[in-house]
């Protein structure tokens, strides 16, 4: 009720971070007849921070307690919470652990830490899944991973996907929410049916065993990140919206 009052009466313009978020408002009839007063402006990544980053291979190898040359490295970044779906990643690892040499690094903290650790033990993959905790500088891990797997089952856009794309990582994610606006399946990554660990395991194995395909997807991902999710584009879009609201001539 409060949102309906806010958006229909008090708001002149609503900026959504993705078309998926816009669709949620529309389906729930929050906006009433104000659908024309919505604009989509994508979130951006901090390019300046990453341009100045100095990725360290040694830092990654220290965290995973091993050499990057000895196995593939899958990276996941996100809060350890139900909606981030890391349990599906762990289940996937258990399905292919005997067929391909890999390690999975999960960066983040959250309420499901203990239960996720217990799940790795129960499935016998505790030596393959590493919980790296909260890291403020993730550049090293994005740079030196082989594949970025994003397991959110509900997501407005997925900023860490954009960051991984900027570092040239191929992406794999569930086909939910605004993720489809970041991951172009077959171009910069692959989309999986939500919570389908069988399909996920097939796609992961396919990508890890196809270095050329990973490289092409990584190049495409960087181009997409630099063309659609830059701070300049975010600022320009917001300034245009503000000028329109204020009646300032845009010509």
């Amino acid at each position: 009720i409060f949102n309906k009052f806010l958006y229909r009466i008090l708001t002149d313009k609503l900026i959504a971070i993705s078309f998926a978020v816009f669709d949620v408002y529309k389906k729930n009839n929050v906006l009433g007849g104000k659908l024309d007063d919505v604009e989509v402006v994508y979130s951006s990544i901090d390019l300046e921070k990453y341009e100045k980053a100095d990725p360290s291979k040694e830092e990654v190898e220290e965290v995973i307690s091993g050499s990057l040359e000895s196995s593939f490295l899958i990276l996941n970044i996100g809060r350890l919470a139900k909606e981030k779906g890391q349990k599906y990643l762990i289940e996937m690892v258990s399905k292919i652990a005997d067929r391909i040499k890999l390690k999975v690094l999960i960066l983040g903290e959250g309420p499901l830490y203990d239960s996720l650790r217990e799940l790795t033990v129960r499935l016998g993959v505790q030596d393959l899944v590493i919980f790296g905790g909260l890291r403020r500088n993730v550049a090293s891990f994005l740079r030196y991973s082989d594949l970025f797997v994003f397991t959110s089952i509900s997501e407005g856009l997925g900023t860490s996907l954009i960051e991984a794309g900027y570092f040239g990582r191929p992406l794999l994610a569930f086909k939910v929410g605004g993720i489809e606006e970041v991951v172009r399946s077959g171009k910069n990554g692959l989309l999986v049916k939500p919570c389908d660990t069988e399909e996920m395991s097939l796609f992961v194995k396919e990508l890890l065993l196809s270095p050329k395909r990973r490289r092409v997807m990584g190049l495409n991902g960087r181009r997409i990140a630099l063309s659609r999710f830059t701070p300049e584009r975010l600022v320009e879009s917001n300034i245009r919206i503000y000028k329109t609201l204020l009646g300032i001539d845009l010509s």
Side-chain angles (χ1 to χ4, degrees):
I1 293 174
F2 172 77
N3 281 344
K4 288 181 179 179
F5 176 73
L6 174 64
Y7 297 141
R8 295 182 187 185
I9 307 299
L10 301 180
T11 302
D12 294 303
K13 182 70 72 173
L14 179 68
I15 300 175
I17 63 169
S18 68
F19 287 97
V21 170
F22 175 34
D23 286 341
V24 169
Y25 284 117
K26 186 164 62 173
K27 288 175 182 176
N28 288 284
N29 197 30
V30 173
L31 304 172
K34 300 191 69 172
L35 295 179
D36 291 338
D37 295 326
V38 179
E39 296 232 21
V40 173
V41 177
Y42 289 128
S43 302
S44 74
I45 56 175
D46 189 345
L47 290 181
E48 185 177 357
K49 178 180 77 173
Y50 287 127
E51 285 169 356
K52 294 178 179 178
D54 184 21
S56 166
K57 181 179 178 182
E58 290 72 24
E59 180 184 6
V60 180
E61 292 183 328
E62 181 181 351
V63 172
I64 66 172
S65 300
S67 169
L68 286 167
E69 279 72 41
S70 63
S71 61
F72 293 109
L73 179 61
I74 294 174
L75 179 64
N76 173 279
I77 300 175
R79 186 167 181 266
L80 306 184
K82 183 178 180 181
E83 67 274 10
K84 296 301 181 180
Q86 284 96 350
K87 77 167 189 172
Y88 301 108
L89 177 57
I90 295 169
E91 290 172 0
M92 181 278 297
V93 173
S94 71
K95 295 178 186 295
I96 64 172
D98 60 342
R99 285 174 277 172
I100 189 166
K101 200 166 185 181
L102 58 80
K103 285 191 175 182
V104 172
L105 176 59
I106 299 175
L107 298 182
E109 296 177 347
L112 293 190
Y113 174 79
D114 289 336
S115 62
L116 290 173
R117 286 292 298 267
E118 290 169 5
L119 180 61
T120 65
V121 174
R122 191 160 68 248
L123 296 178
V125 293
Q126 66 270 26
D127 294 331
L128 304 179
V129 180
I130 300 110
F131 293 88
L134 186 63
R135 301 270 168 169
R136 298 203 176 278
N137 181 11
V138 296
S140 298
F141 305 96
L142 289 168
R143 169 64 180 82
Y144 288 105
S145 58
D146 295 294
L147 177 64
F148 189 82
V149 177
F150 195 70
T151 50
S152 283
I153 56 177
S154 174
E155 196 70 43
L157 188 64
T159 305
S160 59
L161 279 168
I162 303 169
E163 293 171 336
Y166 171 79
F167 277 91
R169 300 306 94 198
L171 312 172
L172 189 142
F174 289 143
K175 189 177 179 179
V176 296
I179 288 175
E180 291 183 81
E181 297 170 55
V182 179
V183 182
R184 298 181 183 180
S185 198
K187 187 163 185 172
N188 63 338
L190 294 173
L191 290 170
V192 182
K193 291 191 290 290
C195 311
D196 189 335
T197 56
E198 287 292 342
E199 186 175 60
M200 188 195 300
S201 63
L202 290 174
F203 285 177
V204 165
K205 189 168 67 169
E206 177 185 324
L207 288 176
L208 291 181
L209 297 179
S210 306
K212 183 178 179 180
R213 195 175 185 196
R214 292 203 315 275
R215 187 164 56 252
V216 171
M217 285 183 169
L219 291 172
N220 289 335
R222 183 171 173 84
R223 279 196 291 268
I224 290 171
L226 290 173
S227 64
R228 303 184 72 193
F229 304 104
T230 63
E232 290 79 12
R233 186 163 180 163
L234 172 69
V235 171
E236 288 169 4
S237 297
N238 278 288
I239 288 176
R240 174 182 54 78
I241 292 170
Y242 298 151
K243 284 184 174 180
T244 302
L245 286 172
L246 294 169
I248 299 174
D249 186 2
L250 298 177
S251 60

